[in-house]
Amino acid sequence: MILILFIIINLIIPKTTYAVYEEYFFYKNCQNKEALTLNQQISQEFSIDKDFGAIEVYFEREGIGDGKLEFRLEKKNGNMVYNNIYPLEKVINGYFFPFGFETQQLKQPESFVFYIKLIENPNNAKIYVCKDNKNNLSYKISGERSVLKSIIFWSLYNIRQDPYFFAFYFLLLLGVIFIWKRI
Amino acid sequence: MPKYLKKAFLIALLIRLLLLPYFAYPEDIFETHNTSFLILDNLRNIFNIRFSPLSHLIDAVFLFIFSPVWPEGLKSALQTQNYFYIPQIHRVLFFFKLPFLIFEFTAYIIFYKFLAKQNVKKDKIKSIMMFLLFNPAVIYSVYIFSRFESYGFIFSFLILIFLYRKSFSIATILIFALAPFVREFFIIILFGLILFSEFKVWQKIALLILSYLPYPWYVFKTGIAETAIDSYVKGGLGYYILQPRFYYLPERPIYLYFFILFLLLTFLYLKSKSKAKFSQAGFINLSIYYALAYFHPQYFSWVLPFLAFFLVFENKDFNKLLKIAWVICFLFLAFPFSHAVTTFGPAFPVANAFRFISLDKILPEVLLYSQIFQSIFRGVLISFTIYISLR
C-alpha cells in the first residue's frame, strides 16, 4: 500500500512545484492570556531537529489597528537568523499568525529563541498571546517540503526514533514471507 | 486447511501488517483508545461510555496486555488530543490495531471451520474466503481508517452460525445479548435475524427479549441515556436512518429506510427458499441503510459477514452474485475518496505532509466524481438487495 501510494504520488504530483505545508511542532494552551503592551518584548525558546521555515504564533485581538509587530528569530547563542516587521492588521483573532523565513536547514538539533514586540499601536488595539502556567507561548513550528522529500524524511526520522520497533516489525514481515514460501 | 487457503491467509496477513503502523484516521482511533485507557485506570469508567462499551473493554484488555510497549507520554498526548505528535506513533498504531487483526482472522477461521463442516463445495469456500480476505471495504475500514469494526465480525459470524444450526443455548443468548454492546448496529438487525430464523416461536420470543433488554438496561442504569440518545438519534445511526424521507402529505413523512426495509422483508418472507434466509434479512436491513442514508465510511464493513454468509448458501447464480458483491465493495471506495481527510489524511503517520494534501491538486472536482460513483454504488446495492429479496 505504501509502495502504491509512493508510485501514485510520484506519477501524479510534480515534485518541483507541489510542496506541502508541514507541522513539526504544535502547542496551544490558553491558561493565561497576556496582552501585549507597546515595546514590551515576549520570547520563546525552543529546540528542534527538523528543517523548518516558519514560526506560527497564536493571537487574539480586539479592535483593528494600523500598528506593527516586530518578529526576530535568533540562535540560542545570539546569532541573528531573521528579523522583520509585520502589519498588525494581518493578525487575525483566534488564529496562528505565520512568521515565515528562509528554510533553516539543520544537521543536528539546535536551540533557537524568537522574540515578538509590539512596536506601533496608534489605535490601541488589544493584542493577546496565549501562555501556559510555565510561561510557554502557544505556537507552531512549520515548514514546506515536496511530498517525496517529506516521505523520505519522516520514514528515516521515525526509524531513527524507534529502531527496536522497526527491527521487530521488519523481522515479522520477513517471517511471514518466509512461512509463505515454505508452504 | 488446504495449501492455497493458507497462502491466501498469509498474503492477507502481510497486507494487513503493512498497513498496521502507517495508517489511521486519528480522531477515532486515538479517542477510543484514550477512553479505553480510562477503563484501564478504573473499570467503573466503562459505565460512562456512550457507545460500543464492549469494544472499548476489549481495547482496554489489549492495552493492558501490551502495556510494556507503550512509549512515555502516550497517555498525556491522547488526553490533550495532540494526535499528530504522539511519540513513536508507528509502534503505538501497530499495537493499537493488532487486536483488530486478531479478531478479524479469528472470525474468518471460525467461519471457515463452520463451512468445512457443512460440506460446502471447496470452490465456494475458496471464493468466499478470498472475498473476505482481500475485501477493499474491510482493508480500508479496519486497517486504513482504523476502526474496531472487526470486533463485530466474530459476533456476526457466531450469530449466523448459531441461527443456521438452530442452536438455542446459553452461548446463543449471551452472544445475542452482548452483540449490541460491541456495535450498536446489531440493535437494528437482530429482530430480523431472529424473526427469519427457524427457532420455535417461544424461542424467538425469548431470544428477542433477552437480546433487546440488556442494552437499554445498561444505557438507562448507567445514566448515559441522555447522551446516548442524543448521539444516536440526533447525530448518529438513528439520525441517518430518519433523514431519507418523503412527504406524501404536508407534515406526514414516509421514512424510506423503514418503508423499503419492510417491503423487502415481506418479499423475502414470501419468496425466499434459502437455508440462510435470516442472513439475507440481516443483509437487506443493513444494505437498505447504506443505500439510502449518509454513513461513515467504515460502517460498510458491517454488512460483509451477512453478505458472505448468505452467498455461500446460494445454489443458483453464486458466481454472478459474488461478482456483483465484489463490484459493490470496490464502488464503496467512492465514499472515502470524497475528501482528502479520508483518503490521504489517514497516511499522516507515513509523513506529516499527507495531512495537508488536498485532493483538488490531484483531480479537480473530485467531490463530484466521488458523488457520481457513490450514486452508482447506491444504485447497484439497492438493485442487488431487491433481487435477493425477490428470488
Side-chain angles (χ1 to χ4, degrees), chain A residues 107-131:
Chain A
K107 287 182 182 145
Q108 58 192 30
E110 281 194 59
S111 295
F112 294 83
V113 187
F114 68 82
Y115 301 91
I116 294 169
K117 193 156 100 179
L118 184 62
I119 54 171
E120 274 180 36
N121 191 9
N123 298 337
N124 288 325
K126 285 193 172 160
I127 306 293
Y128 301 95
V129 288
C130 274
K131 287 186 168 180

Side-chain angles (χ1 to χ4, degrees), chain A residues 10 12 14 30 66 71 111-112 122 124 133 168:
Chain A
N10 268 290
I12 298 173
C30 254
D66 299 326
F71 174 84
S111 295
F112 294 83
N124 288 325
N133 283 338
F168 155 78

Side-chain angles (χ1 to χ4, degrees), chain B residues 34-45:
Chain B
N34 183 32
T35 313
S36 301
F37 265 120
L38 296 177
I39 299 172
L40 206 57
D41 289 343
N42 184 351
L43 197 60
R44 281 178 165 272
N45 285 332

Side-chain angles (χ1 to χ4, degrees), chain B residues 92-158:
Chain B
V92 170
L93 280 177
F94 182 89
F95 288 102
F96 273 7
K97 289 159 71 180
L98 195 56
F100 304 172
L101 179 65
I102 295 168
F103 272 71
E104 190 200 356
F105 274 43
T106 308
Y108 293 164
I109 290 166
I110 291 171
F111 185 45
Y112 168 76
K113 296 219 165 203
F114 162 75
L115 292 181
K117 269 192 185 173
Q118 298 304 316
N119 294 322
V120 175
K121 280 184 190 166
K122 279 183 183 167
D123 281 358
K124 268 190 175 179
I125 296 182
K126 181 183 171 186
S127 304
I128 217 72
M129 291 315 291
M130 296 298 164
F131 176 69
L132 290 169
L133 288 170
F134 299 103
N135 196 292
V138 178
I139 291 173
Y140 177 81
S141 307
V142 182
Y143 300 98
I144 295 178
F145 199 84
S146 304
R147 285 296 272 159
F148 46 38
E149 308 306 344
S150 58
Y151 295 166
F153 282 17
I154 285 194
F155 282 79
S156 297
F157 279 121
L158 286 177

Side-chain angles (χ1 to χ4, degrees), chain A residues 89-121:
Chain A
E89 64 188 10
K90 298 280 183 195
V91 173
I92 302 170
N93 179 36
Y95 280 86
F96 284 86
F97 180 81
F99 299 101
F101 36 83
E102 199 170 312
T103 301
Q104 300 300 301
Q105 290 178 335
L106 309 178
K107 287 182 182 145
Q108 58 192 30
E110 281 194 59
S111 295
F112 294 83
V113 187
F114 68 82
Y115 301 91
I116 294 169
K117 193 156 100 179
L118 184 62
I119 54 171
E120 274 180 36
N121 191 9

